[in-house]
Amino acid sequence: MGCRYCNGLNVIKRGKRNGIQRYHCKDCRKSFQDSYSYQAYNLAIDDLIKSLLREGCGVRSASRILNISCGTVLSRMLKISKQVEVPKFQSFGCKFEVDEMWTFIKRKDDFTWITYAIEQKTKQVIGLYVGSKSKETIKPLIDKILLLHPKRIYTDRLNIYPSLIPRKVHKVFQYCTNRIERMNLTLRTHIKRLSRRTICFSKDKKYLEAHLRIYFWG
Ligand SMILES: [Zn+2]
């Protein structure tokens, strides 16, 4: 086979990385994988990154486990998250919960909000918004639920919800009575786990969002 860089034929096998054969060109002294296995390698790495993130693994651990840089994990994470399709929820008359939690970005004094909606019975995540909370930013998420003719939408006491959700379906969490039920929510548990272990290291809102998309729907 020829060299990827100079097309020279003075190519020898030299070692393996993550099980993939590497080659070395004696003419230009560059190392590479042949393009076929390079493609396969890329797909395999994307799959591994996806599995690790879905397991609640952070970018740093993924980088360590796969022996690739954090920067590479981050850029691949963005790419993978763009391919993620949000599953369509199509049942009408269900009950939904909308909740927010805040999380740090980059530095300890810089934080943002994750607002998410789940269907109560299936715990399916219907939608997600990362960023500051306002009527304008949360509206698309609420509208998405309203299209499903919800029986009930539970939220906290945040003052923007009454203006977005019709009164007859809106219900505010009663923290004392619903507490055990709410503590059982897998989502909250996962998000807590994510935020503690991984999200704190998110450099940027877009990485945080990409991570969550892969985690929930990847
Ligand atoms: Zn060469």
Side-chain angles (χ1 to χ4, degrees), residues 57-133:
C57 198
V59 169
R60 285 180 186 193
S61 336
S63 144
R64 268 197 307 273
I65 292 166
L66 299 173
N67 191 26
I68 52 181
S69 74
C70 275
T72 305
V73 176
L74 286 173
S75 59
R76 280 172 182 252
M77 188 169 88
L78 283 187
K79 199 191 86 192
I80 297 166
S81 86
K82 282 180 188 131
Q83 295 159 359
V84 167
E85 276 184 49
V86 184
K88 287 210 165 48
F89 189 86
Q90 280 164 331
S91 308
F92 287 174
C94 296
K95 293 177 179 174
F96 298 88
E97 297 191 10
V98 180
D99 210 353
E100 315 106 37
M101 68 166 289
W102 61 271
T103 186
F104 290 114
I105 289 190
K106 205 154 134 193
R107 285 170 299 131
K108 285 281 173 194
D109 53 350
D110 196 4
F111 68 93
T112 192
W113 291 90
I114 302 168
T115 305
Y116 55 90
I118 63 166
E119 193 278 315
Q120 263 191 348
K121 208 179 269 174
T122 58
K123 309 275 187 274
Q124 191 177 323
V125 182
I126 305 301
L128 170 74
Y129 177 76
V130 179
S132 63
K133 295 181 294 183

Side-chain angles (χ1 to χ4, degrees), residues 130-145:
V130 179
S132 63
K133 295 181 294 183
S134 72
K135 201 177 160 184
E136 291 70 35
T137 56
I138 303 300
K139 193 173 187 299
L141 184 63
I142 300 296
D143 284 350
K144 197 172 172 184
I145 306 173

Side-chain angles (χ1 to χ4, degrees), residues 3-8 11 25-30 32:
C3 169
R4 264 182 74 176
Y5 299 97
C6 70
N7 284 319
V11 171
C25 172
K26 283 184 155 179
D27 297 333
C28 71
R29 298 176 179 223
K30 282 181 176 159
F32 57 92

Side-chain angles (χ1 to χ4, degrees), residues 33-44:
Q33 296 157 356
D34 68 75
S35 55
Y36 177 77
S37 58
Y38 189 70
Q39 281 297 323
Y41 167 83
N42 273 331
L43 289 173

